[in-house]
Each structure stands twice: as C-alpha cells, then as structure tokens.
Amino acid sequence: MNEHDSETMAGMLNEKGFAAEIDKEQADLVIINTCSVRDNADKRFFGTLGQLKKIKERNPGFVACVCGCMMQQQHVIDEVKTKYPWVDLVFGTHNIHEFPRLLDNVIGERQKIVDVWQEGGAIVEGLPVKRLYDYKALVNIMYGCNNFCTYCIVPYTRGRERSRQPEEIIREVKELTATGVKEITLLGQNVNSYGISHHEEGYWAGEGGMDFADLIYALNDVEGLERIRFMTSHPKDLSDKLIQAFKDCSKLCNAIHLPVQSGSDRVLKRMNRKYTRADYLTLIEKLRLAAPHIAITTDLIVGFPGETEEDFQDTMDLVEQVRYDSAFTFIYSIRKGTPAEDYEDQVPEEVKHQRFNRLLERINQISGEINQTYEHTIQQVLVEGISKSKKGEGLLAGRTESAKLVNFPGDQELVGQIVPVHITEGKQFNLKGIMES
Ligand code: SAH
Ligand code: SF4
C-alpha cells in the first residue's frame, strides 16, 4: 500500500518537473513515506530523519517532507516538530492528493506545514502515478480497514474502509494493459470486503453492485491482461464465490496470501480475528479442492500477549498441517493506542525471539520441500529483471504463477514477457531453471 502511495507521489513530483535521484545527498527534495505497522519501521524512520539535518545545513533550499502512516499519530507529529525542526512538510495518508499544493506553499512561501487529516474524505481518482515497473502494477481497490485486530495500528492510520467504484478500477486496468502491463495486484487491507462494507464517502455495492469476486470475474475479461493477484484477504470474509473464481477465472493466479496470525483459538479470539483454527482449516480444504496446486502463504505473529508455549505449539502444528509455501513471520511489537498495548501479560523478549527462530526454521524447511516438488516441471515465468542472487551473474529472475522466484539464464530483452521454464532445482528460497526453447 505504501509502495503504491510512493508511486503516486513520484508521479506528482514528475508533473512538477522533478526527476528521481537515488542519492539523497544530491537531491533537492526528500520525501520519507513511513510505515508504522511494526516497531522497527518506526526506528528506521527516526534514524533516516536524523541524517537529513546535515543536508539541510549544507543546502538551505533543500526540502524535507515526511508522510504516511506514522504521521497519523499525534505523538509522532509532536516528536517530529520538537526534535527534527529541519522538516518542512508533514502530511498524512488521507491527503496525499494535496501534496502538490502543499509543496508549492512550502517552496513558494518558505512556510513549514503540518497538515494531517483524521479521516479520509471521498476517494480522489485520476492522480498521476510513476510506476516502478512496466509489466506489473499495483492497483488499489479500497482504502482503510474496519477490522480492529487488537495488535494492529492500520485502522487508526488508514481510517475506515472505502471502496473504489468498479468502473474506475476496470478503466485503470484497461489503461495499464494498453501500455503493456501483464500482471496486476489488487490492493486492500481486506479485499474480501470490497464493495460490501458500508461507508459514507466510498462505494457501497448494496443490491446489484459488485463484490470482490464479481470484480475478479470482470477483470478476467480484460484483453491483454494475463495475471491477476490480490492482497490481502481476511479469512473471516473469504467467500465460496471467490473460491469458485479460482476455478473459473483463467487469469486469477493459483496463489493466495491468507494471513492466519496464530494457530491457537485462545490467541485468535484475543486478537479479535473473528475466525477459529477450524474455520481457517476448512477454508484451506475448500481452496485446495477448488484449485489443487494452489500456493498458500500467510502472516504469523509470534509472542502476542498471553501466548503460552501451548498456544505457540498450536501455531507450529497448524503450520505442519497447512504446509505453507512461505510465510511472513513477525515478532509481536506493541503499537501505541491499540487494545493489546494495555494487555498486561506481554511475553518476554527472549521467549518471543526463541519461538520466532523455531517457527522460521520449520517454515523455511517446508518451503524448501515444496520447492523441490517443482523440479522437472515446466512453469510459466513472468521475467522481472536481472537476478539479484550473488551467484546470479547473467541470470534472469522471474516469478511463476504461484509467485515463486526463478533464476535462469536468458536474454535481458525477455524482461516483461511470460516464458516457459524447465525447473532444474528447487531450493529453500527460490527455483533454478532453463528456458524451454
Ligand atoms: N490487512 C492485512 C495485514 C496488514 S499488516 C491482513 O489483515 O492480513 C501486515 C501484517 O503485519 C499482519 O498480517 C500481521 O501479521 C503483522 N502485524 C501487524 N501488526 C503487528 C504488530 N503489532 N506486531 C507484529 N506484527 C504485526
Ligand atoms: Fe490490521 Fe486486522 Fe485490518 Fe489487517 S485486518 S489491517 S491486521 S486491523
């Protein structure tokens, strides 16, 4: 979500005549788009902000801007104002569309501005975007979150759910495919409630409107589009209709990211996730029945307050049962203003770390075992660029439909194309292969 917001701000800066400069020491303007979902993102922000002081001292015309989720929290704004007075512009997640105007005031009037809105207004369409890739694109379908999982800051920094009109999304996807985009990832904190959740300013499907599955069916018909992905999907709202779409929609990739967070019912309840372990396992069963080779990935939090060794074993056991293709594992970190901040039974740091390491080791082993099953198969691979792996000199990197990274020899001209690759080796974190002629 943040990456895509950054693409929008880059588009706005482009329209103002700015060009991208990787080295911040050489730049006229720096914009830090912050994430506040976990503690280490917070820490990195303040570290980077400190480094801007020297640039400002050397070049008084330099403009320092900060935005994103962290700015939606008053205690962060206060800290920026008092400890980092070289910051020129502070804005939030709800007024990104105002960035060009705010910047004009900062540059033209030499003003310092703090402008953060508490809630999102109507969705603003048609903002310029400078996309990172030519062949794949992120497409927002909704903003905000209504779920209030007790550990999570997102509902406080991104506001309530608002869905974009389906026509706007379909128009954007058609425009993208006209420029050569082959793969889209539909973005929302909970895409499964697209068009359903009620809100004043956004899209309200009501009777006869489009829900998320309908949107997938509609996008499946867009000419030139080859792959549809989405994230994230909350298990409590995953419908049978969406599971059916995996059977019916040829462009919907055979992959789903379905964050479970914990395998313990007691912990899930305290997290306010609104499903049980059994509900989740039933979904996995249905998905695998509809799409036998579907790649399933997840998010897991270790060390949520009150998590006992037994609860943690339930998570380990769930991982064993589901056998995830891969998982993002996170050590629980306290977020200011969330209900779990006040839970008194916080888990000691060393216990969290020890559990985290055990979980990660098992997840990686399973990933490697699943990757081995790809050996001697032929996979359709969207070529993304030159391989970043150390031994990858002269290799291309791409992704299978199941989103696995494949390194294989090939010509750089293939970037952006989908090519058949014979998999020769399934490793823990990626696959190796040779292109089929
Ligand atoms: N809307 C998405 C998640 C967005 S946040 C969903 O519900 O799936 C991405 C992930 O960060 C979450 O799935 C969760 O695993 C993790 N996360 C969120 N808050 C956290 C916290 N306080 N500590 C550790 N991990 C957290
Ligand atoms: Fe956070 Fe839960 Fe909303 Fe995801 S669904 S963004 S984890 S509150």
Side-chain angles (χ1 to χ4, degrees):
M1 200 72 79
N2 276 37
E3 187 173 307
H4 189 42
D5 285 347
S6 293
E7 289 184 328
T8 303
M9 290 181 264
M12 292 166 166
L13 287 170
N14 249 23
E15 284 200 341
K16 287 194 161 295
F18 284 87
E21 167 58 62
I22 304 293
D23 179 4
K24 62 178 178 301
E25 304 285 333
Q26 304 297 322
D28 299 311
L29 175 148
V30 162
I31 171 160
I32 309 179
N33 186 11
T34 61
C35 168
S36 57
V37 87
R38 282 173 300 275
D39 192 38
N40 57 355
D42 275 29
K43 287 202 180 104
R44 280 173 55 198
F45 164 64
F46 287 114
T48 311
L49 202 50
Q51 295 164 16
L52 300 187
K53 186 180 182 192
K54 273 198 250 124
I55 308 180
K56 189 81 178 180
E57 280 168 357
R58 242 194 358 253
N59 173 9
F62 173 77
V63 182
C65 313
V66 295
C67 62
C69 291
M70 282 181 74
M71 301 310 129
Q72 294 296 139
Q73 297 161 273
Q74 191 57 45
H75 69 96
V76 176
I77 300 178
D78 293 342
E79 190 165 348
V80 170
K81 276 201 215 155
T82 51
K83 296 197 190 148
Y84 305 87
W86 52 92
V87 171
D88 298 291
L89 172 59
V90 178
F91 60 103
T93 56
H94 299 305
N95 59 342
I96 291 174
H97 58 283
E98 293 266 294
F99 173 47
R101 190 183 62 75
L102 296 170
L103 188 60
D104 281 346
N105 289 345
V106 167
I107 295 174
E109 317 285 327
R110 309 265 2 117
Q111 286 177 346
K112 283 195 185 296
I113 300 178
V114 176
D115 190 0
V116 175
W117 299 2
Q118 283 319 306
E119 263 299 321
I123 292 172
V124 181
E125 293 289 349
L127 298 176
V129 182
K130 181 170 182 286
R131 295 187 182 271
L132 277 175
Y133 304 96
D134 297 331
Y135 49 86
K136 63 172 184 177
L138 302 169
V139 177
N140 265 122
I141 62 167
M142 59 198 296
Y143 301 90
C145 179
N146 288 355
N147 294 307
F148 292 93
C149 302
T150 53
Y151 50 81
C152 186
I153 194 79
V154 173
Y156 307 92
T157 61
R158 292 271 172 183
R160 296 294 66 72
E161 280 178 4
R162 282 149 293 138
S163 297
R164 287 177 73 193
Q165 293 285 345
E167 309 83 67
E168 291 290 348
I169 298 167
I170 295 165
R171 181 190 52 75
E172 182 178 349
V173 172
K174 284 184 174 161
E175 278 171 19
L176 288 166
T177 52
T179 67
V181 167
K182 297 210 166 64
E183 175 183 301
I184 53 159
T185 301
L186 305 174
L187 293 181
Q189 293 301 343
N190 176 16
V191 291
N192 295 331
S193 61
Y194 169 77
I196 312 178
S197 52
H198 185 51
H199 36 69
E200 279 160 24
E201 303 282 2
Y203 166 64
W204 164 237
E207 254 173 61
M210 273 198 189
D211 64 15
F212 182 56
D214 297 329
L215 184 67
I216 299 272
Y217 279 90
L219 292 171
N220 196 55
D221 291 336
V222 172
E223 216 177 301
L225 183 64
E226 307 229 17
R227 288 180 169 183
I228 304 171
R229 301 188 188 280
F230 57 83
M231 78 185 302
T232 300
S233 160
H234 195 307
K236 80 177 167 58
D237 301 312
L238 178 62
S239 67
D240 287 346
K241 201 167 150 190
L242 181 64
I243 294 175
Q244 182 64 31
F246 279 101
K247 275 185 168 174
D248 296 341
C249 300
S250 59
K251 295 175 184 176
L252 182 58
C253 287
N254 210 12
I256 188 164
H257 186 64
L258 197 62
V260 67
Q261 315 299 359
S262 168
S264 152
D265 278 342
R266 213 179 59 83
V267 174
L268 286 171
K269 193 158 194 333
R270 262 187 124 197
M271 286 178 163
N272 192 31
R273 289 291 288 181
K274 301 197 177 88
Y275 53 83
T276 63
R277 174 196 177 95
D279 297 336
Y280 186 88
L281 287 170
T282 304
L283 286 178
I284 299 288
E285 210 175 295
K286 282 187 186 173
L287 281 162
R288 287 195 164 136
L289 209 63
H293 298 293
I294 192 163
I296 301 177
T297 54
T298 200
D299 290 349
L300 289 156
I301 297 179
V302 172
F304 183 75
E307 183 191 72
T308 61
E309 177 60 26
E310 201 186 336
D311 294 320
F312 175 68
Q313 280 304 335
D314 286 344
T315 299
M316 289 290 278
D317 180 70
L318 181 98
V319 162
E320 220 56 62
Q321 248 179 294
V322 177
R323 289 182 64 81
Y324 290 105
D325 284 76
S326 67
F328 293 115
T329 44
F330 304 110
I331 292 179
Y332 169 73
S333 63
I334 297 179
R335 303 288 70 207
K336 238 190 166 96
T338 60
E341 181 194 10
D342 299 327
Y343 294 177
E344 279 168 10
D345 42 2
Q346 301 287 334
V347 177
E349 283 303 314
E350 65 280 9
V351 176
K352 287 198 238 179
H353 280 88
Q354 194 240 34
R355 286 182 190 159
F356 176 84
N357 292 340
R358 282 154 69 195
L359 180 64
L360 190 63
E361 190 185 340
R362 189 61 192 128
I363 288 207
N364 289 344
Q365 279 168 354
I366 295 174
S367 290
E369 287 162 17
I370 296 177
N371 285 350
Q372 271 178 15
T373 66
Y374 277 62
E375 289 177 4
H376 313 301
T377 63
I378 293 172
Q379 299 291 321
Q380 297 302 315
V381 174
L382 173 57
V383 186
E384 302 202 333
I386 305 293
S387 169
K388 289 188 185 117
S389 89
K390 281 193 203 104
K391 293 183 213 141
E393 217 136 292
L395 294 184
L396 295 176
R399 294 216 178 247
T400 63
E401 193 191 319
S402 54
K404 291 189 188 293
L405 190 65
V406 189
N407 293 317
F408 62 101
D411 194 300
Q412 210 177 328
E413 300 219 325
L414 293 172
V415 172
Q417 290 187 35
I418 295 178
V419 297
V421 176
H422 178 99
I423 305 301
T424 53
E425 195 183 345
K427 305 205 293 182
Q428 200 158 58
F429 300 110
N430 57 45
L431 309 173
K432 270 170 76 175
I434 298 172
M435 218 171 95
E436 287 278 293
S437 42

